[in-house]
Amino acid sequence: MKTSGWISSLVPPLAFGLAFLGVWELIVAVFDIAPFTLPAPSAIWSAFIERFDQVLEETLVTGTNALIGFVLGIVVGSLTGLLTVRFGVVESLLTPLAVAVNAIPIVVIVPILNNMLFGTTSQVPRRLMVMLIVYFVVFVNVSKGLRQVSPTHLELMRSYAATPTEILYKVRVPNAMGYLFTAMRIAAPLAVITAFVAEYFGGVQNGLATGVRNSLNGSKDVTWAYVIGASALGLTFYLVSSGLERLHGGKQTSG
Amino acid sequence: MTETSEQTGQAPVDHAVEVVTASMVFNEGGSARVAALDAVDLVVEPGDFVSLIGPSGCGKSTLLRLIANLLDPTSGEVRVNGKSAAQARLDQDYGMAFQKSGLFDWRTVAKNIELPLELKGWDKRRRAVRVSEMLELVKLPDRGANMPWELSGGQQQRIAIARALASHPPLLLMDEPFGALDEMTREHMQSELLQICAATDTTVVFVTHSIPEAVYLSDRVVVMSAGPGRITDTIDVDLGGARDEETREDDAFYKKITEVREALRGSEMATGARGIEDR
């Protein structure tokens, strides 16, 4: 019953997607559109199959950058969130800084980092960019979760003569877990997009965006093959993180 | 009433709670200055069940929080078990229950009851023994492994009471614990609370909006008025013998309800405040 409901909810979008591809194929055929303008879905698919190893390799490069930046951003964001809620001084130092960093269009820093600090053979600047973007989302949400604790819980903990540290790890941290998973779901696609965009700004000649850029002069079916890789990567990040969120939420609020 | 040491020649007995001319002002010096309590005196003897009743804004919850040392009085003194309120809190001399059960969603029922014991540093085995005793006491012996949301409102409130009493505190402070329950559950919980208190020999200070609830539960009903919060009357409730469901039909019970209601009217007419349930 539940499974069939899940499947039937998939049918409309799938049907729409297939119809869309069909119309696309038809338009390309009827109007005889050149492949370097808009390739047909069938041509994109065969380019994708033909170059599967190449696309997979670039996807893994971009995916690794996104994943490393994502994990670092989560770790650093959570830790600084903990520090700010525990020590007021850290908050007055860090929060303006975090906001300021977020206001910089940080992808433009990539070429600077490439040239100045790490050299053009390093993936580090790309990973740093991803980390900064993820960091901000996680920091803001986790801080909120650590702070928005039920007043009744705080009064109870005070009546138990609990220390601030005990309140932190017995009330604030568990309370913030839901916020952390939400932050991860929001930040996961951002991590992939940032890793992708960062490749546009120079550095090592690999990754999905590099593949897209280098194929733009030739037949566009290769370009689109990389787009398939990018979409698959973004979708994977999103599905895994929202799956984790659901797993966590299901433990807590199923009634 | 306890006699003073001068009269009996014995060492003075520690009061369970002793509030001496305590005042509480919020936003002192600000434009929204609120005198929540004005020179309140209250003595609760060990074993007493005392209810605080009064209109919204009369400071009954504030008074409870002064006893719990969740707030410090602007002036005056609060002593619990012969110690300062702050020391009593540090010694976990009281347990507390609120209108919202305040159970932790991420902990099982058993883990919720364990929390004050964890913070007191009890070892795991001792905690487990105590938790099953408490679950037995509130008549939910099989629910330890459940999560809080799997329980009904009344059951959650029982767990909150079990948690408040887990570390054997001599004093139980309750802030409208049954305020969110339906009437049938509420009456049932009142009877159970009396049984639990008798079994554990606990002193209770109980904040409520409901006159019948206050009369049914209490040895003494303390009537308060608002603006600023004051104690206007204290009514002893002697209903003769044990209280059970029959008690609710007694003439003596109705007479006391009328007496408390009139005391509240008196304070209400003086201040024009509202917010008392008559049911």
Side-chain angles (χ1 to χ4, degrees), chain A residues 76-122:
Chain A
V76 179
S78 304
L79 285 180
T80 49
L82 278 175
L83 283 175
T84 55
V85 81
R86 182 66 185 79
F87 305 102
V89 190
V90 184
E91 186 188 8
S92 51
L93 287 175
L94 261 183
T95 308
L97 187 69
V99 173
V101 164
N102 191 53
I104 305 172
I106 54 177
V107 282
V108 304
I109 309 174
V110 174
I112 298 172
L113 289 177
N114 275 334
N115 292 324
M116 285 173 55
L117 287 172
F118 298 99
T120 48
T121 54
S122 172

Side-chain angles (χ1 to χ4, degrees), chain A residues 5-74:
Chain A
W6 184 71
I7 288 171
S8 66
S9 76
L10 268 181
V11 170
L14 271 179
F16 179 78
L18 285 174
F20 181 79
L21 290 176
V23 171
W24 179 351
E25 186 82 37
L26 202 67
I27 289 173
V28 171
V30 169
F31 295 98
D32 200 18
I33 295 171
F36 54 81
T37 309
L38 181 68
S42 56
I44 295 169
W45 185 250
S46 55
F48 177 69
I49 298 298
E50 201 176 298
R51 294 169 169 265
F52 182 78
D53 290 345
Q54 183 69 31
V55 172
L56 182 67
E57 197 186 315
E58 307 301 2
T59 305
L60 287 178
V61 169
T62 307
T64 307
N65 287 344
L67 186 65
I68 290 173
F70 185 60
V71 171
L72 283 176
I74 289 167

Side-chain angles (χ1 to χ4, degrees), chain B residues 177-189:
Chain B
F178 308 143
L181 303 178
D182 64 82
E183 193 58 19
M184 292 305 292
T185 311
R186 190 170 183 162
E187 289 192 355
H188 189 65
M189 293 291 296

Side-chain angles (χ1 to χ4, degrees), chain A:
Chain A
M1 188 64 199
K2 210 177 172 189
T3 319
S4 71
W6 184 71
I7 288 171
S8 66
S9 76
L10 268 181
V11 170
L14 271 179
F16 179 78
L18 285 174
F20 181 79
L21 290 176
V23 171
W24 179 351
E25 186 82 37
L26 202 67
I27 289 173
V28 171
V30 169
F31 295 98
D32 200 18
I33 295 171
F36 54 81
T37 309
L38 181 68
S42 56
I44 295 169
W45 185 250
S46 55
F48 177 69
I49 298 298
E50 201 176 298
R51 294 169 169 265
F52 182 78
D53 290 345
Q54 183 69 31
V55 172
L56 182 67
E57 197 186 315
E58 307 301 2
T59 305
L60 287 178
V61 169
T62 307
T64 307
N65 287 344
L67 186 65
I68 290 173
F70 185 60
V71 171
L72 283 176
I74 289 167
V75 171
V76 179
S78 304
L79 285 180
T80 49
L82 278 175
L83 283 175
T84 55
V85 81
R86 182 66 185 79
F87 305 102
V89 190
V90 184
E91 186 188 8
S92 51
L93 287 175
L94 261 183
T95 308
L97 187 69
V99 173
V101 164
N102 191 53
I104 305 172
I106 54 177
V107 282
V108 304
I109 309 174
V110 174
I112 298 172
L113 289 177
N114 275 334
N115 292 324
M116 285 173 55
L117 287 172
F118 298 99
T120 48
T121 54
S122 172
Q123 298 284 0
V124 174
R126 295 170 179 175
R127 290 168 187 173
L128 278 178
M129 288 307 98
V130 176
M131 189 196 99
L132 279 172
I133 293 276
V134 173
Y135 165 80
F136 189 74
V137 175
V138 172
F139 173 71
V140 167
N141 277 279
V142 167
S143 299
K144 193 172 163 191
L146 290 168
R147 259 165 248 276
Q148 290 194 343
V149 176
S150 138
T152 304
H153 286 168
L154 290 181
E155 288 197 314
L156 270 171
M157 292 304 279
R158 187 167 154 85
S159 82
Y160 302 145
T163 63
T165 309
E166 284 168 335
I167 293 175
L168 184 65
Y169 67 81
K170 289 201 191 287
V171 180
R172 295 190 187 278
V173 170
N175 190 64
M177 289 311 284
Y179 292 78
L180 174 62
F181 282 102
T182 304
M184 282 165 63
R185 175 175 47 87
I186 298 167
L190 282 178
V192 175
I193 292 167
T194 309
F196 192 83
V197 171
E199 288 168 11
Y200 259 102
F201 290 85
V204 198
Q205 286 295 302
N206 61 8
L208 282 168
T210 310
V212 166
R213 198 175 48 182
N214 292 346
S215 66
L216 280 174
N217 296 327
S219 174
K220 297 298 186 297
D221 48 3
V222 181
T223 315
W224 283 87
Y226 287 116
V227 172
I228 293 179
S231 307
L233 187 62
L235 202 61
T236 308
F237 265 66
Y238 177 78
L239 287 178
V240 170
S241 57
S242 70
L244 284 175
E245 186 189 25
R246 196 171 297 185
L247 211 66
H248 174 78
K251 267 196 307 179
Q252 269 192 26
T253 44
S254 58

Side-chain angles (χ1 to χ4, degrees), chain B residues 4-15:
Chain B
T4 60
S5 50
E6 286 83 12
Q7 286 166 315
T8 59
Q10 293 170 348
V13 181
D14 282 343
H15 302 298

